[in-house]
Amino acid sequence: MEKPDTNVPMTPSTPSMPNTSCGADKGTLPCPCAPLAFPYIPMQENNPVRFSRMEALQTGTLFPGLDLPFKAAIQAKTKLANTALVELMALDFAIDELGLYLVTHAQDQEALQLYWSYIKLAQEGREKYQKMYGPLLQTDLTPEAGYAWLKDPWPWDEGGND
Amino acid sequence: MFVYEKKLQYPVKIKNTNPKLAAIIITQYGGPDGELGASLRYLSQRYSMPYPELKALLTDIGTEELGHLEMIGTIVHQLTRNLTEEQIKTAGFDTYFVDRTTGVYPTSASGFPWSAASMAVKGDLIADLTEDLAADAAMAEV
């Protein structure tokens, strides 16, 4: 499994095809002749700039354009531990974010390919995690280990996030 | 349907208990702008949506909000684990403790149990999505 990009500085990763339109923090609106009295939300453009996975998990979004801290307060980003669990969390978060993006941008081929590559990585990540910590799904069973699903710690317990 | 994965979305490792803080954070669990409201709002609104993009969006976001609910519950649980009687008497928490001990109950910080009165499901696309925008902005404030 590839190493997490924890040492990558704040600069987001740029997609291979540069965006020549509005920029990371702006979107597209319907044409000038839009119906009256409706509020409009600019649509995020195709192939948006992204954070690294670890940055994304720390920031709370995969897309710098959507990083809008309330009252423009710059939130201190706590450093995350470099464990198999956190790596998997960062990967799964990127997958969640890309999944949501794809709901409204289903034709974005670059995003689809990236999504698919992350899903394959996550499958490896899960196997690695489960060998160390036990099942993630109720149906992840190794009969020799008994019904390990019920074993402590559960995610809310002390030691459940080590 | 729903499948549970045995991990949080983001790690929660609280070393020091703080019942005073727990009494405030509980509002993000069961308060009017908390995660329970968010989950039920999205998961209930999705049924009347006419477009697949919206059904997917509301289902996916509603599911993620349930994961957030779990994280907030974890935070409250870890903030109130193994409290001494002295700690329980700390301002605000004894009124919660008398009925719940260190259970995690969906209530606002002011003690008002979670209610669907704090959310709207109108069955109208624009109204529902606009309510979602307002609710999520309010949640960002909390």
Side-chain angles (χ1 to χ4, degrees):
Chain A
M1 197 177 172
E2 66 182 66
K3 283 172 80 77
D5 341 340
T6 38
N7 295 320
V8 173
M10 284 275 290
T11 40
S13 66
T14 38
S16 51
M17 233 167 51
N19 227 333
T20 49
S21 305
C22 306
D25 60 341
K26 295 182 182 52
T28 53
L29 280 175
C31 70
C33 306
L36 289 174
F38 275 95
Y40 290 98
I41 306 282
M43 277 295 283
Q44 196 176 11
E45 291 181 291
N46 267 1
N47 213 358
V49 178
R50 295 181 313 274
F51 285 125
S52 71
R53 297 202 298 269
M54 204 52 89
E55 265 269 290
L57 188 64
Q58 285 172 309
T59 312
T61 175
L62 184 62
F63 305 106
L66 295 178
D67 183 16
L68 304 164
F70 186 65
K71 284 188 173 164
I74 310 299
Q75 295 147 345
K77 291 170 192 174
T78 24
K79 193 88 171 69
L80 287 166
N82 202 352
T83 58
L85 173 61
V86 171
E87 228 182 281
L88 186 58
M89 283 175 170
L91 189 49
D92 278 344
F93 183 69
I95 289 172
D96 285 344
E97 290 279 285
L98 280 172
L100 285 173
Y101 170 80
L102 284 167
V103 171
T104 45
H105 298 74
Q107 310 306 319
D108 185 339
Q109 283 305 317
E110 304 246 4
L112 266 169
Q113 290 304 317
L114 186 66
Y115 186 60
W116 180 229
S117 71
Y118 280 176
I119 288 174
K120 284 187 286 194
L121 267 178
Q123 280 161 359
E124 290 171 34
R126 271 176 172 68
E127 281 178 31
K128 177 178 170 187
Y129 173 91
Q130 278 162 174
K131 284 200 181 74
M132 295 167 69
Y133 298 103
L136 278 168
L137 291 178
Q138 198 175 14
T139 46
D140 293 325
L141 188 64
T142 30
E144 313 85 58
Y147 195 51
W149 169 251
L150 49 78
K151 283 210 186 117
D152 278 343
W154 280 71
W156 54 86
D157 287 329
E158 193 175 2
N161 286 271
D162 286 343
Chain B
M1 59 162 273
F2 285 91
V3 177
Y4 178 73
E5 208 178 27
K6 201 174 169 188
K7 72 178 192 348
L8 298 180
Q9 188 176 48
Y10 185 95
V12 174
K13 295 194 281 192
I14 296 178
K15 300 223 172 18
N16 304 313
T17 56
N18 188 339
K20 210 163 153 184
L21 187 58
I24 304 289
I25 298 222
I26 194 80
T27 217
Q28 185 65 12
Y29 190 78
D33 303 310
E35 305 291 348
L36 182 57
S39 315
L40 288 178
R41 184 179 281 113
Y42 296 124
L43 292 173
S44 303
Q45 286 174 355
R46 60 188 172 135
Y47 297 106
S48 59
M49 288 291 150
Y51 302 113
E53 291 85 348
L54 293 172
K55 297 175 205 177
L57 205 62
L58 293 178
T59 299
D60 294 347
I61 298 179
T63 305
E64 188 171 340
E65 299 289 6
L66 285 173
H68 295 174
L69 183 69
E70 189 184 25
M71 283 192 282
I72 305 293
T74 300
I75 291 175
V76 172
H77 168 72
Q78 291 188 2
L79 284 172
T80 56
R81 196 174 39 218
N82 299 330
L83 293 177
T84 65
E85 198 177 311
E86 193 51 51
Q87 287 171 306
I88 289 162
K89 290 212 182 92
T90 316
F93 194 66
D94 46 355
T95 48
Y96 176 96
F97 184 86
V98 67
D99 289 325
R100 328 271 175 221
T101 64
T102 50
V104 178
Y105 180 77
T107 174
S108 70
S110 58
F112 195 69
W114 187 84
S115 164
S118 65
M119 58 176 253
V121 182
K122 299 300 225 183
D124 172 85
L125 193 162
I126 303 286
D128 281 348
L129 291 179
T130 311
E131 149 109 356
D132 294 343
L133 283 174
D136 243 287
M139 196 194 307
E141 240 176 281
V142 173

